[in-house]
Amino acid sequence: MKCEKNQFNCPVEATLSLIGGKYKPLILWHLIDHPLHYMELQRLISNATPKMLSQQLHDLENNGMIHREVIPEKPPKTVYSLTPFGQSIVPILDAMCQWGNNYLDGLDVQPPCCQSRK
Amino acid sequence: MKCEKNQFNCPVEATLSLIGGKYKPLILWHLIDHPLHYMELQRLISNATPKMLSQQLHDLENNGMIHREVIPEKPPKTVYSLTPFGQSIVPILDAMCQWGNNYLDGLDVQPPCCQSRK
DNA sequence: CAGGATCCCATCCGATACTG
DNA sequence: CAGTATCGGATGGGATCCTG
């Protein structure tokens, strides 16, 4: 999904335009409790290709949801963390995760991660 | 987005697979308080083409979120309404709508509909 | 290590026209 | 009224290879 400031049919559309990307909810989810390096995210979201991961990270950064900091070392590191704006959307992720778990339960599917937070 | 029962990276993905379509949240939103006819939905969601609207309606029906009842009259009528399963996801829509309104406020954009419910 | 570049395919979505 | 059929463009997402 695009992340522009165009007209939306509904505020819900606006919300989805920010977190509707394939790996975006998952990225945000992993960043809730602590910042992570690119490599750690790559390992946690292993079926995302590097291209997809960095693309989604850039989208989230451009929308102000996450902060990207490069640490000039050898080897170089990049740390991603939630901004306050990104934090503000966590309750929605929580609600969606909880509902999604109930739904998957009904299908007898084991969710691969984040069954519940905390 | 597709709506299959495949593997999801995250329960949030499962949720998005059901309500992530372009007009799905809006359709569900309009059906919260009362059932609607196809034509009423078409009028409320005027920039959806008939093809898109009926496609999204079918998706929602196949996933058990809405109920479709054909009333054999002349002229024919079709009534769409939320199922209990569809009702169960309303809190998420509420949360997303509320957050989206705050977000759009910050952009000085007037949301076109459903500023708040009730 | 953290990604960018390139190529390509699947799906989403819109416009227009038509039907029981 | 309540859709379906068809075509085509836009976008999302994957595979592979390459670089500072």
Side-chain angles (χ1 to χ4, degrees):
Chain A
M1 285 189 190
K2 278 185 309 184
C3 296
E4 296 172 0
K5 291 163 188 169
N6 312 358
Q7 235 67 323
F8 294 108
N9 295 310
C10 169
V12 175
E13 302 282 340
T15 303
L16 283 176
S17 76
L18 294 178
I19 62 169
K22 183 159 187 183
Y23 302 108
K24 286 176 190 174
L26 203 46
I27 292 170
L28 295 172
W29 191 267
H30 285 303
L31 293 177
I32 288 179
D33 291 323
H34 34 67
L36 289 174
H37 298 164
Y38 180 87
M39 199 48 199
E40 296 174 310
L41 283 168
Q42 179 76 77
R43 185 176 46 79
L44 288 168
I45 312 174
S46 55
N47 48 355
T49 61
K51 167 192 159 184
M52 285 312 301
L53 187 56
S54 64
Q55 180 182 296
Q56 307 264 305
L57 285 167
H58 278 305
D59 284 354
L60 290 170
E61 187 192 1
N62 289 333
N63 291 317
M65 307 277 302
I66 63 173
H67 176 68
R68 176 177 182 268
E69 185 174 6
V70 180
I71 301 177
E73 292 181 352
K74 292 168 188 174
K77 293 208 168 192
T78 313
V79 179
Y80 294 93
S81 56
L82 289 188
T83 62
F85 183 58
Q87 297 278 359
S88 75
I89 213 171
V90 169
I92 294 184
L93 294 176
D94 267 332
M96 292 176 66
C97 184
Q98 190 178 337
W99 190 92
N101 273 316
N102 283 339
Y103 171 64
L104 292 176
D105 264 10
L107 299 177
D108 278 325
V109 174
Q110 294 306 319
C113 78
C114 54
Q115 285 72 1
S116 67
R117 195 156 62 87
K118 285 281 177 322
Chain B
M1 285 190 191
K2 278 185 309 183
C3 295
E4 297 173 359
K5 292 163 187 170
N6 310 359
Q7 236 65 324
F8 295 108
N9 295 310
C10 169
V12 176
E13 304 281 341
T15 303
L16 284 176
S17 75
L18 294 178
I19 63 170
K22 183 158 187 184
Y23 302 109
K24 287 176 190 175
L26 202 48
I27 291 170
L28 295 172
W29 190 267
H30 285 303
L31 293 178
I32 288 180
D33 292 323
H34 35 66
L36 290 174
H37 299 164
Y38 179 88
M39 200 49 200
E40 294 174 311
L41 283 168
Q42 180 75 79
R43 185 175 46 78
L44 287 167
I45 311 174
S46 55
N47 48 354
T49 61
K51 167 191 157 181
M52 285 312 300
L53 186 56
S54 64
Q55 180 183 298
Q56 307 265 304
L57 285 168
H58 279 304
D59 284 354
L60 290 171
E61 187 192 2
N62 289 334
N63 291 318
M65 307 279 300
I66 64 174
H67 176 66
R68 175 177 182 268
E69 185 173 6
V70 179
I71 301 177
E73 291 180 352
K74 293 168 189 173
K77 291 208 167 191
T78 311
V79 179
Y80 294 93
S81 56
L82 288 189
T83 62
F85 183 58
Q87 297 279 357
S88 75
I89 213 170
V90 169
I92 294 183
L93 294 176
D94 268 332
M96 292 176 64
C97 184
Q98 190 178 336
W99 190 93
N101 272 316
N102 282 339
Y103 170 63
L104 293 175
D105 265 10
L107 299 177
D108 278 325
V109 174
Q110 294 305 319
C113 77
C114 54
Q115 285 73 0
S116 67
R117 194 157 63 89
K118 284 283 176 323

